Amino acid sequence: MVKLIVVGAGPGGLACAIAAAGAGADVLLLEKAGRIGGALPYSGGHLSAAGFSAQREKGIEDDVAAHWADIRRISRGTGREDLTLLSLAEQPAVLEWLLDAGYAIDPATPRIVHGHEQYGTPRTVHAPEPPGGPEILRVLELLLEPHVKSGKVDVRCGVKVAELLVETVGGEQAVVGVAAEDGRVFRAPSVVLATGGFGYNPELFAELDGAPLTTSAAPTSTGDGIEMGRRIGAGVQGRGKYIPTFGGLPPQGDDLRVDWRHRPHLVAPERPPWEIYVDRNGRRWVAEDDPSIDLKERMLTAVDRMTFWMVFDARALRESRPMVHGWTPEELDARCGARRGLHKAATLAELAAKAGISSDGLVGTVARYNAAVAAGRDDDFAREHLPAPIVEAPFYAIENHPVTLITFAGLDVDAELRVRRGDGTVIPGLYAVGEVIGSAAVNGNSFCSGMCLTPAMAFGRIVGRALSGA
Ligand SMILES: Cc1cc2nc3c(=O)[nH]c(=O)nc-3n(C[C@H](O)[C@H](O)[C@H](O)COP(=O)(O)OP(=O)(O)OC[C@H]3O[C@@H](n4cnc5c(N)ncnc54)[C@H](O)[C@@H]3O)c2cc1C
């Protein structure tokens, strides 16, 4: 008899199904897409944990208390302590599980990643070739395979779950199964929602995260689990904790998604900026060389439409690399005027007109910045890296939008990952793991390296084991 139904075959759902089957349960895994993997094919695939073998091999001393202290510092204590500690305790085991199964990590990892606010200890791992998500999927497929062969996990792709079935059990309203969009009904004593976030659902995004949506989320991230849960009275946690990822090119044509691989390189400790960042009025708004990406993400929320332009000259394009990941200076230059958001002009005034920013504002700002470079001191923002004035034509402007990779709000759960109603009571039979519980659960109002994928798998394993009775 099927003991649990897992809805969604991303990292959270796969880890849950594998753990439950490994502990003896029969699992039905329903996936709306034509393939398993969820957001993994798109994902950067950075994982983190404290006190695992790859750290020990490099002589890195670390423990859960240190990881927790870093997360509290970065998130300013805005995540959920109970869930974060639950996940952190399981994360080293997640890493060992993947490594034992052949997960190939970049020999330069574990390392400190600068694309998010930095941990104090090297504890992030990823595959040698970006993006790292596909390598995690490869290993999860290997771990799933024997359970599919033995019949313990029945994987059905192309089944979109539309509703949760609720009946009275022992005098209480409980979830007893799911109904698919095509009318089929599947029953089990427990249902685990692992349907991911809602970064590809503009309406739900506007309602729950309340910000402009420029997205790089997977097209399957439409918030189905959150909508289904809310329809039977589930509460929502993590509202008001949205923070944008710092910058990406605007989308092209009718595509909702932006190209995350070819994103401007805005991580100051890795590429000290030669450019300035200006808003629609042509004004600077931050010290571009500040090493804290978290600070910039927060400042960006106050910028008009959270949109800004990197402005630089021909010399900067030659000397500061890469301005955009994956493009040579020549490739970037050739795309100006041909791709939305990339502009080139002989004068700053002409550049401003092409980019749609204030001409007077930009010309004045560049003059003031060039004076700061000459003086060796930036009185406006205390920027220290002042390598050269912006003087050599042609001039360039790259338009940057806040990019959504993950969503922060999600279904409210207790410390056993049981979904709770708006009044805080548990909905019997219903569990949730992964991004469907909202990334704010463990990240709070911030990004902590590896703290989406690793917790998704950690929570999946915890619930899978618990529901199998192991
Ligand atoms: C570009 C990018 C880079 C990222 N980089 C990182 C990183 O480096 N590190 C990190 O920790 N996180 C990263 N993330 C976030 C991370 O990938 C996600 O948070 C993670 O994949 C969430 O896992 P999940 O299992 O909860 O959901 P998902 O991976 O989204 O999987 C959910 C699955 O549920 C299925 N589903 C949805 N609705 C239904 C339904 N109604 N019926 C049946 N099936 C359904 C979907 O089709 C999907 O397969 C990144 C995300 C993106 C987009």
Side-chain angles (χ1 to χ4, degrees):
M1 193 193 103
V2 171
K3 212 154 191 184
L4 61 147
I5 295 171
V6 179
V7 186
L14 287 169
C16 182
I18 296 165
D26 288 328
V27 182
L28 177 61
L29 177 56
L30 301 176
E31 168 55 54
K32 72 175 174 182
R35 53 138 186 95
I36 64 169
L40 281 172
Y42 306 91
S43 183
H46 288 200
L47 305 179
S48 65
F52 61 106
S53 54
Q55 285 182 310
R56 282 193 296 277
E57 280 159 24
K58 292 200 157 192
I60 300 163
E61 282 183 30
D62 199 10
D63 59 24
V64 166
H67 199 170
W68 169 228
D70 265 348
I71 288 176
R72 261 197 335 254
R73 168 179 57 81
I74 293 168
S75 68
R76 299 164 176 81
T78 51
R80 278 204 27 203
E81 178 168 352
D82 56 351
L83 291 177
T84 312
L85 288 174
L86 182 70
S87 181
L88 290 180
E90 179 72 12
Q91 285 177 215
V94 172
L95 264 294
E96 302 305 355
W97 180 58
L98 297 176
L99 289 165
D100 286 349
Y103 173 43
I105 58 170
D106 188 324
T109 67
R111 69 178 178 99
I112 293 178
V113 163
H114 296 279
H116 297 306
E117 199 65 8
Q118 296 95 333
Y119 287 141
T121 303
R123 60 169 74 95
T124 302
V125 292
H126 51 75
E129 287 297 318
E135 170 62 9
I136 299 169
L137 177 55
R138 184 188 73 78
V139 177
L140 289 174
E141 281 173 333
L142 285 178
L143 289 161
L144 179 67
E145 197 179 272
H147 302 299
V148 173
K149 281 201 175 130
S150 70
K152 281 295 199 200
V153 182
D154 179 3
V155 184
R156 311 246 189 119
C157 287
V159 179
K160 181 176 177 184
V161 172
E163 295 298 340
L164 296 163
L165 296 181
V166 178
E167 288 177 2
T168 307
V169 179
E172 250 198 307
Q173 290 287 95
V175 170
V176 294
V178 299
E181 200 179 37
D182 60 12
R184 274 182 292 171
V185 164
F186 304 93
R187 287 178 169 271
S190 301
V191 172
V192 182
L193 290 173
T195 46
F198 54 93
Y200 204 78
N201 181 336
E203 293 78 28
L204 194 59
F205 190 80
E207 183 201 333
L208 295 180
D209 275 352
L213 178 61
T214 311
T215 191
S216 237
T220 50
S221 298
T222 47
D224 303 11
I226 297 171
E227 307 264 43
M228 283 188 270
R230 288 207 302 183
R231 282 199 289 276
I232 66 159
V236 170
Q237 63 177 346
R239 289 182 79 156
K241 295 200 174 149
Y242 167 79
I243 186 164
T245 306
F246 192 59
L249 295 169
Q252 303 193 82
D254 297 335
D255 197 354
L256 197 60
R257 294 187 78 248
V258 299
D259 178 359
W260 183 244
R261 282 197 203 187
H262 298 114
R263 64 187 183 281
H265 193 346
L266 302 167
V267 182
E270 292 174 0
R271 185 187 66 81
W274 284 52
E275 71 276 20
I276 55 171
Y277 304 159
V278 300
D279 64 12
R280 209 169 291 275
N281 297 313
R283 294 200 195 102
R284 289 175 68 210
W285 50 276
V286 74
E288 295 85 353
D289 64 344
D290 195 295
S292 171
I293 201 122
D294 180 72
L295 173 116
K296 289 174 178 165
E297 286 162 351
R298 272 163 218 289
M299 304 270 298
L300 184 60
T301 60
V303 170
D304 182 25
R305 279 163 268 185
M306 298 190 209
T307 302
F308 69 96
W309 287 259
M310 301 157 72
V311 173
F312 51 94
D313 68 358
R315 179 172 173 201
L317 180 64
R318 275 197 312 275
E319 300 201 25
S320 186
R321 300 182 187 197
M323 280 288 182
V324 174
H325 285 284
W327 289 346
T328 62
E330 295 72 28
E331 286 169 332
L332 196 162
D333 180 86
R335 284 175 170 84
C336 289
R339 194 212 183 282
R340 190 179 157 206
L342 300 173
H343 310 281
K344 171 172 92 161
T347 67
L348 287 166
E350 199 190 321
L351 183 73
K354 283 185 174 173
I357 50 186
S358 157
S359 175
D360 288 351
L362 183 65
V363 171
T365 296
V366 170
R368 193 168 166 80
Y369 173 74
N370 289 346
V373 174
R377 210 183 68 202
D378 172 22
D379 289 333
D380 296 333
F381 296 95
R383 168 175 167 160
E384 289 173 7
H385 184 68
L386 300 162
I390 299 172
V391 287
E392 184 184 324
F395 300 99
Y396 297 87
I398 301 182
E399 184 178 327
N400 275 271
H401 291 244
V403 178
T404 290
L405 305 178
I406 57 172
T407 43
F408 286 80
L411 293 178
D412 184 33
V413 291
D414 70 1
E416 292 171 46
L417 286 319
R418 299 181 298 181
V419 177
R420 296 194 284 213
R421 298 187 183 90
D423 64 7
T425 56
V426 162
I427 302 177
L430 187 61
Y431 296 75
V433 300
E435 205 177 314
V436 70
I437 70 168
S439 302
V442 296
N443 289 274
N445 169 228
S446 73
F447 292 96
C448 300
S449 178
M451 285 305 285
C452 294
L453 286 170
T454 337
M457 290 186 278
F459 289 150
R461 280 161 49 97
I462 289 168
V463 169
R465 286 197 302 263
L467 294 182
S468 70

